[in-house]
Amino acid sequence: MTEKTKRERPAFNKIISAAIESHYNNIQTNRPMGYALMAPNPLVEIAYAAGIQPAFPENYAAVSAVKHLSRKYCETAEAHNYAPDICSYCRNNLGYVYDSKENPPFGGLGRPDLLLLTSSACTHYFKWWDALHEIYKIPMIYINTPRVMEPQAMPDYYLAYAIREIEAAIIQVEDIAGTKITHEKLSQAVTLSGEVVDYWHKLLDLQKAEPCPVNLTDISNALFVLIALVGKQEGVDVIKTVYDETKQRVTDGIGIFTKEEEKHRLMWINIPFWFNLGLFGYFEKRGCVFPLSDYTQYIWGTTKMDGAKPIESLARKALEGELNSSLDDQIEKMLVDIKEYHIDGIIAHSNRSCRVLSVGIPDAVKVIQKELNLPSLVLDGDHTDERVYSDANIMNRIEAFLEMLG
Amino acid sequence: MSNILEHMARVIQDASMVLSKTREETGCKMIGIFHPVVPEELIYAAGLRPVRLFPYIDDFITEGDAHLQTYLCSNVRAVWDQVIKGKYSYFDGAIIPRSCEAVTFLYQTWKRHNPYPFIDYINVPWKRSENAIDFFAKELGRIKNDLEGFTGKEISEDSLHNAIRVYNRNRGLLRKVCELKKAESPIISSTETLKVVMSSFILDKEEHSGLMEQLLAELSKRSQGPRAKVRLLVTGGCVTDARLWEMIEDCGACVVADDVNNGSRSVFTAVNDTMEGPLTALARRYVMVPCSFNTANADRFTYISEMVMESNVHGVIFAINRNCEAEKFDYPNLDLKIREKFDLPTLHIETDYLTDMAPLRTRVEAFIEMLNAKGG
Ligand code: SF4
Ligand code: SF4
């Protein structure tokens, strides 16, 4: 076990930080700019193909939580009658919208020219974008898709519906942007998106190595590329750098720990506590690394993007991923990956904001315990609303769990 | 109270007993459904009995929490609790829609711990385009196949048309009863109306329609009720607890219009199967059901506005269940618009399964007194 308090992060984090900063600069300057939902959203590639700059309020909510601003934003939203039982990402954003906006992070999220909505995650998606639509009175493009409970048995007409939704959206986007999205432009964006996805898979595979090359905080940092920069050459360049460095670390046997120091390989279920990323540092101090998380593994990048079939690829993107399937489907995936990533313990965040990723977690954990005989811990919390997080309670429980792990 | 109204109230009170007895006597298999967005006609046409699920006012949630965390709407958690406690032993299965998020989780949990032979999930579009209707019709086709597989019998075109006719008649009669509340001195109370509507979730539709015909005849002879001095509209998601409606009336107001899943949203409009095939006709009607999870705020406001004007509403109560994210999301904007456009006072109350009525009563009373002072 290590005595070091802070471990050196992989160098790629700096490149990602620069990409995030440049993204937020683009939001300020590029027009038209559209708010886009993050769950696998085919409108991101379409926006880039049309020269529209997407911006991501969910990401901004996470950024605000990291900077401990979510309390303020949530309270502002609540003062405007958005109840505390609404997901805190939404409250963060609505609070930001109504805020006086003095010194917001990254210079702010900007006022959108249009709204890019998909319904592939939760009920909040539709209601949230609809609320923004009422506030800003700007055009909204809406791709509605069915939920796919059993991806292996998805009926053909689900795909056909999604394809027609994409086709209709493209016409609307062309109208708003005043430009034609040619087959070439779309195909190029989808090809670039596909390259990011391919690198992402290779990157995740590297996490199977012992010692684990990078930690969950590094991977979730890189996730930004997979969500926000798909369809751009820049995205491919950044993710390639991330992959190359990580690959080199594996080749050189470099990890967060040395092989001997790496005491436990844990899986994190659900979104992290964004306001307390230091928690992962605490785990590192205790010799624990997180090579696997459903959050980085099953939500984005699950669709193979084929530039020769751009519309079909985008339609599949809208239908796939953890947020649009069932917990049973995730459990099956987890049972396979837990073995492949040599996981020896599970920490699940029962996130009261994100029911999609949380409801049924006790069931999932029970199944995993039964099948693989793994110790597990379920923590109650929220991904951005710090006010419902009890540090003392969480730390006690983690401490007890780590002692039990040995 | 009339015998028929009493009977309907008892049906709701003793739903479990009534349904067990029917299941035993008729042998007709029963399928539970949730929310007004599942096209029940399909189930009816398959020779099965669709029964709408809502939590019976019963004991506390004790076992359901093991599967569905407490930050989920308690309406859904209470239903699940009652399912696993074996209180719906007469069911043979369920068809659960993609309506609100909570119900989607109910499906997943139900499927994982399935106590009955049949379970299905139906994707309800959250959009009203022709593309969405076409998709929904195909989704209904899949459900039709699944039901045929379950019963071993084909669902004929004729039986679908017949089911549509049976349901149109029932909804038509229900709308007639709801209309009666618009009068200056309504001859039926809002609690009575709620029970008339909710008893249709349980009884066989033909039987229910028969009762409704008699009821309407009876009501036409009723002398006028007292003048509705304070006329309210209640809006929310699943406001199934009759105690709330009784309490509002008890405080001296009359709920002359409602916008809730177990009220007007359930009886809203007929299916028109004269121009197109029955599945498309069903899809076309059901995508229009104005629940919160599938309806944009602007469309909800239009729906509410019509009622406010037609029923001469004096105030609006938002009765929203804790953790009902869709309704909670719509509330701020709807509230603002109602106050701005109609200059109407509004009140927001949060409800829950087995909610304690006393604190709510204090607020409702004050609201109604204020309206009274304004002269209704
Ligand atoms: S509930 Fe979950 S999926 Fe929905 S907006 Fe919140 S974090 Fe995203
Ligand atoms: S009250 Fe709201 S959350 Fe609960 S079941 Fe009804 S619509 Fe869903």
Side-chain angles (χ1 to χ4, degrees), chain B residues 179-188 224-231 253-254 256 310-312 314:
Chain B
E179 290 275 305
L180 296 175
K181 289 193 301 178
K182 283 187 195 165
E184 206 183 314
S185 306
I187 50 172
I188 184 162
Q224 280 194 339
R227 190 173 81 85
K229 216 172 145 225
V230 175
R231 303 171 65 87
C254 193
V256 292
E310 277 179 17
S311 300
N312 184 24
H314 302 150

Side-chain angles (χ1 to χ4, degrees), chain A residues 40-218:
Chain A
N41 188 345
L43 288 163
V44 176
E45 287 89 341
I46 294 172
Y48 281 129
I52 292 170
Q53 174 65 48
F56 301 89
E58 287 150 286
N59 179 264
Y60 199 67
V63 167
S64 305
V66 171
K67 300 195 181 300
H68 302 286
L69 287 166
S70 46
R71 173 190 293 268
K72 175 177 98 158
Y73 290 148
C74 285
E75 279 170 2
T76 307
E78 286 157 21
H80 283 80
N81 287 334
Y82 288 99
D85 30 17
I86 291 172
C87 168
S88 57
Y89 270 180
C90 315
R91 278 178 290 133
N92 251 279
N93 172 243
L94 290 159
Y96 168 79
V97 168
Y98 289 114
D99 188 68
S100 57
K101 303 190 185 56
E102 277 165 35
N103 295 322
F106 290 119
L109 193 58
R111 197 180 199 285
D113 304 303
L114 71 157
L115 297 162
L116 303 166
L117 162 65
T118 53
S119 57
S120 70
C122 61
T123 323
H124 285 97
Y125 266 33
F126 173 37
K127 295 278 113 185
W128 181 5
W129 255 229
D130 187 45
L132 291 172
H133 191 212
E134 293 276 330
I135 293 169
Y136 289 120
K137 310 215 179 320
I138 50 176
M140 180 158 81
I141 319 270
Y142 176 15
I143 290 179
N144 178 224
T145 44
R147 199 168 171 115
V148 188
M149 289 292 182
E150 286 165 60
Q152 292 75 18
M154 182 177 79
D156 289 345
Y157 62 88
Y158 279 34
L159 182 63
Y161 177 44
I163 287 177
R164 285 196 303 270
E165 287 288 285
I166 303 268
E167 286 168 343
I170 289 175
I171 295 170
Q172 280 179 284
V173 170
E174 286 178 331
D175 226 37
I176 293 164
T179 175
K180 177 109 192 87
I181 306 174
T182 60
H183 180 81
E184 287 67 39
K185 276 196 213 165
L186 194 64
S187 164
Q188 194 198 10
V190 171
T191 303
L192 292 171
S193 168
E195 284 176 35
V196 174
V197 168
D198 291 345
Y199 274 117
W200 187 258
H201 286 198
K202 292 200 293 180
L203 175 68
L204 293 179
D205 266 353
L206 293 173
Q207 292 291 82
K208 292 176 185 164
E210 293 175 274
C212 181
V214 301
N215 209 346
L216 178 60
T217 34
D218 308 308

